[in-house]
Amino acid sequence: MDFNTLVPGKTGLAGIDVDALLLVVVGAKMPATLEGPLGSVIAEAVAAGDFALKAGQVLYAHRVAGVKARRVSFVWAPDAGPKAMRRAVAAGVALVKSGGASQMAVAVTGAAPLMDAGAAEALVLAVHDATYVYRATKPSAPSVPKLERVTLVCNPAEVDALAAGLARGEALAAGVALARECANRPANHCTPTYLAEQAQKLGKSHGLKVEVLDRKDCERLGMGSFLSVAQGSEQPPKFIVMRWMGAGKDVAPLVLVGKGITFDTGGISIKPAAEMDEMKFDMGGAASVLGTMRAVAGAKARVNLVGLIPACENMPSGRAVKPGDVVKSLSGQTIEILNTDAEGRLILCDALTYAERFKPAAVVDIATLTGACVIALGHHRSGLFSNDEALAGELLAAGEAALDPAWRMPLDDEYDEALKSNFADMANVGPRAGGAITAAMFLKRFTSKLRWAHLDIAGTAWRSGANKGATGRPVALLSRWVLSKAAAPAPAAKSGRAGRAKKA
Ligand code: BES
Ligand code: MN
Ligand code: ZN
């Protein structure tokens, strides 16, 4: 799919020659700017009660006389901000989707100011979101007519900003799509080995350095906690290290750590059967790291970013770790595993310790960590925990701006009491109450040398029910944050430098 901008000619919106025109009508008053046949359609529809200037209103018109676009969807929006744009596109694209349109134009009409770069970015994401179909293991999935080109109609003064927003949106959308594709794949396809292959592939296509540590490597390092989770499975564990070096060698990197449990049965503390299939999504954190690496590398951002993914299955077997077993983490601290279903923290703690070697500016781990977080925050906001005020503020702001919101949760010392053990430095679980917080407190014990944040995405990484599937969250939040840390791109060379032909 291709996105571009267009400044309409003398004939205005009516003269734009596309399969479908999505016209977003902004504001509480009929826009005076909308004249001609399109203006008449909407005025008549309002008069007849078929369209109103309020939320949820969509009007579809076919072959309007005097309008070049074959189909027109009118959608109302309260303003032209990113959120409104996302909703408008979601509502409007549905109509275009069924009609076999391969080129669509989107125009905003109404009270100024109209779109900005952020809204253009949101538009790209919304179009991709509305047209995404999972096919990897369902080739019979109904085919959606392929949208080849989406054109954003704007004023000459807006072209540069909106084109930049569209380009950012495309890099981001590719990252979101990669995360969804990985997470949607069933666990017999998406194994730790598959995740490692995806990382290698991404490395080749996007210029990342990728290294995959196997069981032996992890043993040598002393990742006893990670390996204790992996030991019950026939699938070999993989510890994936990805590096995007977009800034100078001496610039401290940001590190992302993604939970990569490709299937979580609970292990010996086995889960109930109902909805256990959804535990294929337990690598959603890993998927979001892959997706963010792709978005950041795709944008050629001038930032150093390391992605770490401890990947394994959590299975019960004769070799599986048992309740009461004590293991030694890479940090040297010992852990009494009271519940083998609290495995995410056991793989993340070794990855967090491993992150220290990069002397990072900040570390963010992303994990479908606790059912308790879903109880606390539902499916709208991810849980955010951090030992650093500034970092927490940055991530919250990135989430708001990217329409991928999070909510800060506490890390008071009082919660740490719950992790006391008579047989090791700590237990891996506390009581049920405050479960998302004790999980974060466990991780905090491995982050004393780091500026660290933890995102619990158990409620936001996938949807259940009829629309079951991965959301691609929080790729948008993470990418926005990482890109906010990037140095501005080098200005395009102006004079004809040696070896570089200047285009006419
Ligand atoms: N992957 C699960 C968390 C989860 C459960 C996410 C349901 C989304 C929906 C995690 O490994 C887990 O099993 N956590 C336990 C922790 C408990 C044993 C302390 C949980 O949340 O029940
Ligand atoms: Mn579990
Ligand atoms: Zn899990």
Side-chain angles (χ1 to χ4, degrees):
M1 208 183 304
D2 213 34
F3 288 80
N4 63 1
T5 55
L6 172 78
V7 177
K10 278 200 208 77
T11 46
L13 296 179
I16 299 175
D17 187 4
V18 284
D19 296 327
L21 172 65
L22 173 59
L23 194 48
V24 184
V25 182
V26 169
K29 281 197 313 213
M30 270 299 286
T33 47
L34 193 54
E35 297 159 343
L38 289 164
S40 320
V41 169
I42 196 94
E44 279 168 34
V46 169
D50 291 329
F51 190 78
L53 300 173
K54 58 182 191 197
Q57 292 285 309
V58 184
L59 177 73
Y60 181 62
H62 195 73
R63 299 215 177 255
V64 178
V67 175
K68 278 227 173 112
R70 266 70 73 196
R71 310 164 181 77
V72 185
S73 311
F74 300 88
V75 187
W76 182 82
D79 55 65
K83 197 168 197 165
M85 213 42 54
R86 178 169 75 177
R87 292 218 170 117
V89 168
V93 156
L95 295 170
V96 167
K97 234 171 36 171
S98 51
S102 72
Q103 334 119 18
M104 173 173 77
V106 180
V108 178
T109 179
L114 295 176
M115 284 179 107
D116 62 7
E121 189 179 324
L123 170 115
V124 178
L125 280 183
V127 171
H128 277 275
D129 194 50
T131 52
Y132 172 81
V133 183
Y134 173 78
R135 293 186 181 286
T137 52
K138 188 182 178 183
S140 66
S143 69
V144 173
K146 188 128 178 67
L147 252 186
E148 275 158 20
R149 165 156 301 168
V150 179
T151 299
L152 183 54
V153 182
C154 61
N155 303 318
E158 296 173 319
V159 169
D160 287 347
L162 295 187
L166 293 176
R168 269 214 312 273
E170 287 189 271
L172 186 52
V176 171
L178 175 62
R180 292 178 89 174
E181 275 295 306
C182 280
N184 279 333
R185 284 226 181 4
N188 63 328
H189 290 244
C190 180
T191 58
T193 303
Y194 176 87
L195 285 179
E197 286 165 4
Q198 289 304 301
Q200 307 269 26
K201 228 171 97 182
L202 189 61
K204 290 229 171 67
S205 63
H206 284 71
L208 310 174
K209 280 190 210 141
V210 178
E211 193 186 347
V212 179
L213 310 186
D214 62 14
R215 193 194 308 265
K216 278 254 157 59
D217 300 321
C218 295
E219 272 166 9
R220 236 175 275 128
L221 282 164
M223 293 185 168
S225 187
F226 170 45
L227 291 173
S228 75
V229 177
Q231 77 191 40
S233 169
E234 297 293 324
Q235 291 292 339
K238 302 286 172 189
F239 189 95
I240 304 165
V241 183
M242 288 172 280
R243 263 176 271 211
W244 166 253
M245 300 293 283
K249 273 209 170 72
D250 46 341
V251 178
L254 305 171
V255 178
L256 303 177
V257 177
K259 173 178 173 182
I261 294 290
T262 57
F263 198 79
D264 182 10
T265 64
I268 297 299
S269 313
I270 199 162
K271 287 182 180 294
E275 279 142 40
M276 205 208 274
D277 66 288
E278 296 189 7
M279 284 299 116
K280 73 172 184 177
F281 295 118
D282 211 17
M283 34 59 72
S288 76
V289 171
L290 284 167
T292 303
M293 298 297 302
R294 167 150 190 179
V296 169
K300 301 218 171 4
R302 303 220 296 167
V303 61
N304 291 339
L305 179 65
V306 175
L308 301 178
I309 297 176
C312 68
E313 274 185 344
N314 186 22
M315 298 288 282
S317 84
R319 271 184 286 125
V321 73
K322 305 168 292 297
D325 284 2
V326 174
V327 298
K328 189 167 177 181
S329 68
L330 179 59
S331 73
Q333 300 176 91
T334 58
I335 303 162
E336 184 186 17
I337 300 177
L338 289 176
N339 189 322
T340 66
D341 197 11
E343 85 297 342
R345 60 200 79 179
L346 294 174
I347 72 170
L348 291 170
C349 69
D350 280 350
L352 287 168
T353 303
Y354 190 84
E356 286 175 10
R357 71 180 54 206
F358 298 100
K359 305 210 173 359
V363 178
V364 180
D365 78 70
I366 309 99
T368 49
L369 203 63
T370 65
C373 191
V374 189
I375 303 300
L377 293 174
H379 300 286
H380 181 51
R381 284 179 186 265
S382 305
L384 170 72
F385 301 80
S386 182
N387 63 6
D388 187 283
E389 297 304 307
L391 177 59
E394 288 167 17
L395 290 165
L396 288 174
E400 297 302 322
L403 307 180
D404 188 0
W407 194 257
R408 182 107 183 247
M409 303 275 280
L411 284 173
D412 302 289
D413 288 339
E414 282 79 354
Y415 292 107
D416 194 69
E417 295 289 313
L419 296 174
K420 286 205 166 131
S421 159
N422 289 346
F423 303 102
D425 293 331
M426 70 196 88
N428 78 326
V429 289
R432 259 166 66 87
I437 306 169
T438 41
M441 291 305 294
F442 178 95
L443 297 177
K444 186 171 176 242
R445 285 174 173 242
F446 298 84
T447 61
S448 57
K449 296 181 191 141
L450 302 169
R451 284 183 74 212
W452 158 78
H454 156 61
L455 283 164
D456 193 331
I457 58 165
T460 52
W462 76 88
R463 278 184 281 267
S464 307
N467 286 324
K468 192 187 289 183
T471 59
R473 290 181 67 183
V475 171
L477 180 161
L478 294 168
S479 303
R480 174 68 71 133
W481 175 66
V482 174
L483 292 175
S484 78
K485 296 284 180 187
K494 274 194 188 125
S495 54
R497 253 199 276 152
R500 234 169 172 258
K502 217 173 135 190
K503 271 195 197 148

